[in-house]
Amino acid sequence: AQKITQTQPGMFVQEKEAVTLDCTYDTSDPSYGLFWYKQPSSGEMIFLIYQGSYDQQNATEGRYSLNFQKARKSANLVISASQLGDSAMYFCAMTERKAAGNKLTFGGGTRVLVKP
Amino acid sequence: KAGVTQTPRYLIKTRGQQVTLSCSPISGHRSVSWYQQTPGQGLQFLFEYFSETQRNKGNFPGRFSGRQFSNSRSEMNVSTLELGDSALYLCASSTSRGTGLTDTQYFGPGTRLTVL
């Protein structure tokens, strides 16, 4: 089974509008971390936001917020007030405590295109 | 603080050759991880090094190897290149002070390898 599932391969969003990117995950480990990364066409992965499995509050970082629904195993990224520079691939990723050290497992990604 | 650097940025090799990619982590970061990104398989974890020791390994053949030096710089080597090794190879570093769950990995720009 896929550990990280991103069901939206691509989407358009109007500039200045909000967009929600879906991410569901599968793990039996009670301790895990969830990350979102942005990958522009240049290729570099840019860290956006982190949510820990024991965090009570939804994470926020500027225009990025994470809608964490633990029981549903979902960690959707919300980008508010979209900008043209937000056009990129977005990846949801997870680390699990049972995997020693750092190992990110990525979803397939969602391509976002912001229209002026 | 300088980010993660990777050299070279682009590389063209032929089947059967071997290649070495280099990664310099953010100053103070002791963990270096490597990922392979292809259109078909997405982002896959190769291995992670921490304090010159391989701490975690993905599901790749033995042709893929790596090492880390005392200054935390890391290299990965692919021997007997195959056409399917054509990919973007991303290196990421983190402080890795704890369990890895909260250790944000910061990525370099990647090395794009083409095997002809």
Side-chain angles (χ1 to χ4, degrees):
Chain A
Q2 292 282 345
K3 279 188 174 286
I4 299 283
T5 302
Q6 296 180 250
T7 57
Q8 307 151 307
M11 55 198 309
F12 290 97
V13 59
Q14 201 65 41
E15 192 178 9
K16 299 180 185 175
E17 291 187 350
V19 60
T20 298
L21 307 183
D22 296 340
C23 172
T24 57
Y25 58 91
D26 182 27
T27 181
S28 58
D29 193 335
S31 300
Y32 53 89
L34 296 160
F35 299 79
W36 277 91
Y37 284 88
K38 170 185 176 182
Q39 187 179 41
S41 56
S42 60
E44 184 170 352
M45 301 284 282
I46 301 167
F47 166 71
L48 296 178
I49 196 166
Y50 165 82
Q51 180 86 42
S53 60
Y54 294 114
D55 292 343
Q56 297 295 315
Q57 305 277 349
N58 284 342
T60 60
E61 287 284 350
R63 295 188 297 111
Y64 305 106
S65 60
L66 203 152
N67 184 2
F68 182 46
Q69 298 187 47
K70 192 170 181 177
R72 295 181 59 188
K73 293 188 174 179
S74 77
N76 298 340
L77 176 71
V78 180
I79 306 174
S80 63
S82 295
Q83 302 171 355
L84 296 179
D86 293 335
S87 295
M89 282 290 288
Y90 289 82
F91 291 94
C92 179
M94 177 172 66
T95 54
E96 299 167 282
R97 184 184 294 277
K98 65 183 180 183
N102 287 331
K103 176 186 174 182
L104 281 168
T105 301
F106 285 88
T110 296
R111 183 174 299 280
V112 172
L113 186 59
V114 180
K115 299 186 292 183
Chain B
K1 201 182 253 191
V4 178
T5 59
Q6 291 187 246
T7 56
R9 292 293 311 279
Y10 301 91
L11 207 48
I12 299 175
K13 292 285 188 178
T14 56
R15 277 183 300 172
Q17 288 186 311
Q18 75 165 20
V19 67
T20 299
L21 312 182
S22 180
C23 171
S24 293
I26 293 170
S27 177
H29 286 193
R30 297 168 63 191
S31 167
V32 174
S33 299
W34 289 88
Y35 296 85
Q36 181 197 64
Q37 185 176 24
T38 61
Q41 299 297 316
L43 278 151
Q44 293 184 286
F45 173 78
L46 280 156
F47 31 64
E48 181 213 359
Y49 286 86
F50 178 76
S51 292
E52 301 179 65
T53 301
Q54 188 180 84
R55 187 160 68 171
N56 210 338
K57 188 178 188 303
N59 190 24
F60 278 82
R63 299 185 298 107
F64 292 82
S65 63
R67 59 177 175 168
Q68 186 179 35
F69 302 95
S70 58
N71 62 358
S72 295
R73 190 177 70 85
S74 176
E75 289 181 346
M76 69 162 280
N77 185 276
V78 187
S79 62
T80 319
L81 284 166
E82 301 177 0
L83 295 179
D85 296 334
S86 294
L88 180 66
Y89 290 89
L90 292 161
C91 162
S93 75
S94 72
T95 56
S96 194
R97 292 195 192 96
T99 62
L101 284 179
T102 60
D103 293 329
T104 298
Q105 293 184 47
Y106 296 92
F107 284 79
T111 294
R112 189 166 294 280
L113 172 65
T114 302
V115 182
L116 303 176

